[in-house]
Amino acid sequence: MTVVERRPLTQVGHSAPRKDAKEKLRGEAEFVGDVVVPRMLHGKVLRSPLAHARVVSVDAREAEAMAGVVCVLTASDLVDLDGYWGHAIKDRPIVARDRVRFAGEPVAAVAAENEAAAEAAADVIRVEYEELPLAATLDEALTAGAPLLHEGPVRPGLFHGLGTLPPRDGNVCYRYRIDRGEPESVFSRADLVVEGEYTFPAVYQYAMETHTVVADYDGDRITVWSTCQHPFLVRAELADLYGVPLSNVRIIVPYLGGGFGSKSYTKMEPLTVALARKARRPVRIQNRVDESMVTTRRHGMRCRMRTAMTSEGNLIAREVDCWFDTGAYADNGPRVTATGGDAAPGPYRWHAYRVDARCVYTNTAPAGSYRAFGAAHLQWIGESQIDELARRAGLDPLAVRRDNLCRPGEEVRGGGKPLDADLVGDVEKVAAAVGWNEPKPPNVGRGVSVGLLAAGAHPVSTAVVRMEADGRVAVLVGTTEVGQGPRTAFAQIAAEELGVPLDQVTVHGADTRFTPYDRSTGASRSTTIAGLAVQRAAKEVREQLERIAGGDALEVATYPDLFRKHFGLAGGELIGRGEVAPFGSGSYAEGPVFWEVCVGAAEVEVEPETGVVRVRKTATAADVGRAINPQLVRRQDEGATMQGLGNALFEEMIFEDGQLLNDTLLEYRVPSFEDLPDQMSCVIVENEDGPGPFGAKGCGEGALAAVPAAVVNALADAGIPMYELPLTPERVWRRIQTLEEEGKWPR
Amino acid sequence: MTVEVRLNGELVRDDVEPQHLLLDYLREDRGLTGAKRSCDTQVCGTCTVLVDGAPVSACCTLVADVDGREVLTIEGFAELPEFERFEQAFVDHAALQCGFCTAGMLLTTKSLLDERRLSSAEEIRQGLAGNLCRCTGYHAIVEAVAELAGVEA
Ligand code: FES
Ligand code: FES
């Protein structure tokens, strides 16, 4: 096999089996919860039962005296540290200091010889609270004179990436505004305007593996095994918090049991490190599901939107006001808010729009990233208004999109990356996949939806490719294997560049001591950005081989000879380095790296007597530029589709006075096998228009924004427009009753 | 108390606390970490093991309750000759992502197949409904299991 000949591709574009499949199938794959470190203790966190209170005193004497207990950590152990963290806004103490701001906030932590002893000790820690007035909902937090969750100046975190953070305004910790043209005047000459108020629920990512951390604090060295998606950002936050050099912090990430954003940025690491620091022994903290549910979640949101169209069907203006409930601490709220703001107009040729998105503190568990954040929040709203306009004008919703969608190269957001996808082609494909023009039985509706998600995050990744004298290749890259398959995709990319068989390439897991810097695993960026770094590193090795070969064609079989020729022995090693850095500053304002396509279609059937909505068909477009591994691409879309159905149909975290009421999987239902639609299709679109290797661009999130929107539109097509998710039978049934009173049902 | 279990084909005896959970026993005392902990409430199935051939949530089962019985974990299943077929089907269909739910899926599937309770796609969906997977969206797993069961997905 030669590598000089570049086409056809032999590895890329093929559905190679997952590299990690056998380990995982045989129960051999190691997760953080399986890691056992010598002398390791077990930690248990004492969490606040109150949503807002002053902490008057914490008395841990009895707990500390219990058998098997090594120590109890409270805020008084951390007075030598600044002690506040948060990658966007440093608003979060390691354990509550004088005040708790949500039910579930860590107040103390016990380290003991086993979990049972730690749990028993946590039970006898006496905390005296003095309740404070609550701002537990958006309404409560936004009213004049609301209790303020945070005071003093906003302290920017290390990685907010949002330019200059504006000052806090009451409980609004961040605000993102974009506009184009003069919406007021365009609205005033519109023929058709729809407007409405919408509610999106807080939901739980439910990675099946809960947040788990093992930490060791030895002198000035910190070693952490963590269920984190972004080891390098966690490393930086820990170094900053504990005042040690970056290189003294080592983060090891084995396989992750799902993430979906719940393990992005820093979560349980600062607390576990603090406990290990006090215990002077390694400690493991493993959340239970109810604890992970109050560690991070998706933002609930309220939105007011109006959209204008001409009677000929030209979409002309949109105005959006939305409020994201970020809970007691900002976490990734500012970025979620900005991404939501960018998704709000939708990829249409507007004459004018205005978007005003706010991120609001409330006394509830903090909200952060969850797959397709921002787009999942806004797309169903914007797209349902477009369908409503189409219905009023008597136009086919698909035709309205065909006529109004942005075309490749057109501006999506001022100053941002122009459109890099064929959206019209995408939506036509998914519409066809659900039988758009076929006759519909009664109580059946179909919907499509189109949107974009600002993807890629900050484009910084590095990789190293090492070739040994036997021709075997190791890829070192800081991307984490959350289940999405980078170890397989990167191996394919390296194998393609080097002309070696896939089984000769191994992609190692992230360990910040050895794997080079990768900004993060999220925002659908890994194949595109880290994959590009891997490709560049592999190319460098190939160039070295070519130089050594001195004009002879490269043959895999002769690689060992080339090593002997170059190093004079059957040894040595060729090392290639790949880097991706932004062209400009890489800031959010200049971004995104690419627009992730969120295009889907659905067919639903509603049972009017019960309000039960059954999804019969879904289709999504995986507009990936180039599918490095088509099977893995399809699997990503299927997973996101199912999460989208959960988000659309039944998932909802129910808070009352700041208390999470449904904090078990019995009460918080996620989709099961029985929720599978009869037909789930994924259309892969490969236009080689991505900035990644071989023209690839990321995927895996878009379906989670597209599917709920398509389902909402399909239900409206069946006669039941909805303004609130999830579409529970009760809500749908009530809506039918209202429609009946208004004489709009049955149609 | 002392329990005697045929664990993955081997007879083992251990002193355990009466309230000791099977999941903790397997993971901590026996180092068999293939069974995972997630929901703790018998909903998700990541902790599934087979007791006398039937799927059981180890998170809600006492070791005391398996005294004198046969327990098969994924580590033991992987040693059986029939495992290869399961493995191949799951690999071919990429019926796993993070792998956290996978052991439970395989063991439940084995038990259902042994009892010949997978004669249609409908039965696959119903039979496996006690095993959650948040990554795959189930579609690929249905395909893999349908192939194993010799039915249309
Ligand atoms: S952990 Fe046992 S069923 Fe979920
Ligand atoms: S593969 Fe991740 S939960 Fe099933």
Side-chain angles (χ1 to χ4, degrees):
Chain A
M1 186 194 304
T2 70
V3 293
V4 183
E5 171 63 59
R6 305 300 305 141
R7 290 278 193 287
L9 299 174
T10 57
Q11 304 287 351
V12 161
H14 297 269
S15 294
R18 291 187 68 104
K19 284 281 221 177
D20 53 5
K22 296 217 162 177
E23 255 178 290
K24 287 178 172 176
L25 288 160
R26 291 168 176 265
E28 291 162 1
E30 185 175 67
F31 295 82
V32 179
D34 307 331
V35 169
V36 177
V37 175
R39 302 176 65 239
M40 183 175 89
L41 298 169
H42 297 262
K44 187 72 203 169
V45 181
L46 177 70
R47 296 172 179 275
S48 167
L50 300 174
H52 201 190
R54 209 166 68 77
V55 179
V56 180
S57 64
V58 182
D59 180 355
R61 280 169 300 183
E62 190 185 338
E64 268 178 326
M66 283 172 67
V69 172
V70 173
C71 69
V72 178
L73 175 88
T74 65
S76 62
D77 295 307
L78 302 169
V79 286
D80 61 317
L81 304 172
D82 171 81
Y84 282 87
W85 59 279
H87 71 277
I89 297 174
K90 274 194 193 182
D91 55 3
R92 182 142 197 201
I94 295 174
V95 286
R97 292 199 163 176
D98 45 355
R99 186 171 164 194
V100 288
R101 296 180 174 85
F102 71 95
E105 177 157 9
V107 176
V110 182
E113 297 294 343
N114 56 59
E115 228 174 315
E119 219 170 311
D123 279 349
V124 301
I125 299 172
R126 269 189 275 275
V127 187
E128 196 186 325
Y129 298 99
E130 191 181 287
E131 282 197 65
L132 293 170
L134 278 181
T137 61
L138 284 169
D139 277 338
E140 287 169 10
L142 290 165
T143 81
L148 296 180
L149 271 89
H150 295 270
E151 281 132 35
V154 170
R155 299 178 62 200
L158 295 173
F159 305 108
H160 63 81
L162 293 161
T164 319
L165 278 182
R168 192 179 329 101
D169 177 13
N171 285 315
V172 175
C173 71
Y174 178 72
R175 193 162 175 181
Y176 182 81
R177 280 179 274 198
I178 50 171
D179 53 32
R180 173 193 292 178
E182 285 170 28
E184 281 308 319
S185 77
V186 181
F187 268 102
S188 67
R189 52 190 159 80
D191 302 313
L192 290 166
V193 175
V194 294
E195 58 183 300
E197 291 207 14
Y198 303 81
T199 310
F200 183 91
V203 299
Y204 171 42
Q205 301 93 338
Y206 188 44
M208 293 195 74
E209 173 197 46
T210 56
H211 300 93
T212 306
V213 182
V214 178
D216 188 21
Y217 195 110
D218 178 15
D220 58 354
R221 294 189 172 275
I222 297 172
T223 308
V224 173
W225 291 258
S226 177
T227 55
C228 69
Q229 295 175 225
H230 308 348
F232 288 89
L233 302 189
V234 173
R235 180 183 67 161
E237 277 210 87
L238 290 177
D240 182 53
L241 255 180
Y242 290 95
V244 299
L246 277 178
S247 55
N248 282 23
V249 182
R250 178 179 181 190
I251 314 281
I252 303 163
V253 185
Y255 285 118
L256 295 181
F260 320 117
S262 70
K263 295 165 182 169
S264 64
Y265 300 101
T266 302
K267 294 288 182 283
M268 297 297 293
E269 296 87 354
L271 175 55
T272 317
V273 171
L275 190 56
R277 184 178 89 139
K278 180 158 191 200
R280 297 167 171 273
R281 280 172 64 178
V283 182
R284 175 174 87 189
I285 292 183
Q286 179 165 37
N287 271 355
R288 297 298 169 120
V289 162
D290 58 339
E291 295 182 286
S292 272
M293 286 182 95
V294 294
T295 298
T296 182
R297 61 175 171 89
R298 198 201 278 290
H299 291 73
M301 183 201 65
R302 229 179 46 211
C303 173
R304 230 181 2 240
M305 188 183 287
R306 60 176 187 146
T307 305
M309 191 168 90
T310 65
S311 50
E312 300 82 56
N314 292 323
L315 293 167
I316 48 178
R318 172 169 280 178
E319 282 190 316
V320 186
D321 285 280
C322 50
W323 296 265
F324 289 82
D325 176 354
T326 204
Y329 297 101
D331 195 307
N332 205 28
R335 175 61 70 102
V336 171
T337 303
T339 307
D342 276 342
Y348 298 97
R349 296 162 150 170
W350 305 108
H351 299 184
Y353 60 70
R354 179 189 65 78
V355 178
D356 190 346
R358 297 92 166 163
C359 186
V360 186
Y361 286 129
T362 64
N363 290 120
T364 56
S369 310
Y370 178 17
R371 206 171 193 173
F373 61 70
H377 290 92
L378 269 306
Q379 185 167 333
W380 69 281
I381 301 173
E383 288 294 281
S384 70
Q385 293 207 333
I386 287 172
D387 271 26
E388 179 62 30
L389 288 165
R391 265 190 299 277
R392 287 200 203 164
L395 298 168
D396 175 13
L398 187 57
V400 170
R401 288 181 175 79
R402 204 180 289 127
D403 292 346
N404 288 278
L405 278 168
C406 292
R407 300 302 197 262
E410 290 181 1
E411 179 183 282
V412 176
R413 180 193 72 193
K417 169 146 189 158
L419 181 61
D420 46 8
D422 172 21
L423 295 174
V424 173
D426 292 340
V427 70
E428 285 182 335
K429 290 185 181 84
V430 295
V434 298
W436 188 254
N437 291 318
E438 286 162 25
K440 278 172 280 199
N443 299 322
V444 167
R446 291 191 196 113
V448 292
S449 85
V450 183
L452 292 175
L453 173 60
H458 200 103
V460 177
S461 292
T462 58
V464 166
V465 168
R466 302 166 58 176
M467 183 180 273
E468 302 287 352
D470 60 0
R472 298 212 160 244
V473 177
V475 177
L476 299 180
V477 55
T479 305
T480 51
E481 176 59 89
V482 195
Q484 80 285 37
R487 294 197 195 179
T488 309
F490 294 168
Q492 288 178 262
I493 292 166
E496 186 69 59
E497 287 301 335
L498 293 164
V500 298
L502 196 58
D503 63 5
Q504 283 193 22
V505 185
T506 304
V507 181
H508 291 288
D511 176 343
T512 59
R513 181 181 278 180
F514 303 109
T515 44
Y517 191 94
D518 182 24
R519 191 241 177 221
S520 51
T521 303
S524 303
R525 69 190 294 287
S526 295
T527 302
T528 311
I529 302 170
L532 192 56
V534 169
Q535 184 185 30
R536 288 175 179 168
K539 272 196 174 135
E540 249 195 47
V541 172
R542 197 188 70 225
E543 283 159 16
Q544 294 172 47
L545 288 166
E546 280 166 357
R547 271 199 302 277
I548 298 166
D552 293 345
L554 285 184
E555 301 282 349
V556 178
T558 64
Y559 284 2
D561 301 335
L562 295 178
F563 274 77
R564 261 191 297 275
K565 180 174 168 195
H566 187 62
F567 293 108
L569 82 171
E573 179 173 335
L574 297 179
I575 300 175
R577 182 183 152 278
E579 176 187 292
V580 177
F583 292 114
S585 72
S587 80
Y588 190 78
E590 293 165 16
V593 181
F594 62 97
W595 291 103
E596 182 169 351
V597 168
C598 314
V599 170
E603 179 181 286
V604 308
E605 181 174 8
V606 62
E607 199 179 82
E609 301 74 34
T610 59
V612 170
V613 176
R614 200 172 71 81
V615 176
R616 291 154 53 111
K617 294 179 188 170
T618 61
T620 52
D623 186 338
V624 293
R626 154 90 67 179
I628 304 294
N629 184 318
Q631 190 182 42
L632 293 189
V633 166
R634 219 169 287 122
R635 297 313 184 215
Q636 276 301 298
D637 258 29
E638 289 164 4
T641 293
M642 214 56 193
Q643 291 185 6
L645 292 182
N647 209 152
L649 297 176
F650 42 77
E651 288 187 44
E652 177 173 27
M653 295 171 84
I654 299 168
F655 287 96
E656 205 177 280
D657 295 332
Q659 304 283 341
L660 176 61
L661 299 185
N662 53 341
D663 64 353
T664 70
L665 265 292
L666 286 166
E667 298 143 308
Y668 183 92
R669 183 161 107 72
V670 299
S672 83
F673 276 94
E674 297 188 291
D675 298 303
L676 260 176
D678 305 333
Q679 180 198 313
M680 196 194 251
S681 5
C682 161
V683 188
I684 296 182
V685 181
E686 300 185 82
N687 295 330
E688 289 185 51
D689 47 8
F694 308 97
K697 60 186 166 182
C699 68
E701 302 196 49
L704 181 37
V707 168
V711 167
V712 167
N713 281 351
L715 189 57
D717 183 49
I720 310 163
M722 295 292 291
Y723 305 98
E724 188 173 4
L725 295 185
L727 307 169
T728 58
E730 181 186 335
R731 248 175 225 145
V732 173
W733 184 84
R734 282 184 195 285
R735 182 89 180 108
I736 294 172
Q737 309 315 301
T738 314
L739 290 166
E740 213 166 350
E741 278 160 28
E742 292 168 357
K744 295 179 186 156
W745 181 274
R747 291 183 303 168
Chain B
M1 64 180 287
T2 305
V3 289
E4 200 176 83
V5 183
R6 188 165 290 279
L7 180 57
N8 295 332
E10 193 189 324
L11 200 62
V12 297
R13 284 168 73 89
D14 270 300
D15 281 330
V16 298
E17 296 290 326
Q19 73 280 17
H20 201 40
L21 289 173
L22 179 57
L23 184 59
D24 292 327
Y25 170 73
L26 293 171
R27 291 182 53 84
E28 275 152 38
D29 307 349
R30 287 275 152 201
L32 296 170
T33 54
K36 303 294 182 201
R37 164 170 268 129
S38 183
C39 72
D40 278 314
T41 50
Q42 229 174 336
V43 175
C44 76
T46 52
C47 64
T48 303
V49 297
L50 300 188
V51 176
D52 292 340
V56 153
S57 297
C59 70
C60 297
T61 304
L62 300 178
V63 197
D65 290 338
V66 299
D67 187 21
R69 302 171 73 180
E70 240 174 78
V71 175
L72 185 71
T73 71
I74 190 66
E75 291 87 351
F77 183 26
E79 299 282 298
L80 301 180
E82 68 187 281
F83 182 75
E84 230 163 88
R85 203 166 77 83
F86 285 72
E87 182 170 60
Q88 200 55 50
F90 272 62
V91 169
D92 288 348
H93 293 276
L96 70 152
Q97 290 185 23
C98 79
F100 209 72
C101 69
T102 309
M105 290 291 171
L106 288 167
L107 287 164
T108 304
T109 303
K110 170 181 163 49
S111 151
L112 292 168
L113 275 178
D114 288 348
E115 294 185 14
R116 303 183 194 292
R117 279 170 46 198
L118 297 180
S119 56
S120 67
E122 196 47 44
E123 283 190 8
I124 293 173
R125 292 173 187 210
Q126 282 169 5
L128 286 169
N131 289 75
L132 297 178
C133 171
R134 192 60 151 168
C135 299
T136 62
Y138 302 111
H139 190 72
I141 300 177
V142 172
E143 278 180 15
V145 174
E147 186 183 308
L148 287 168
V151 300
E152 283 282 306

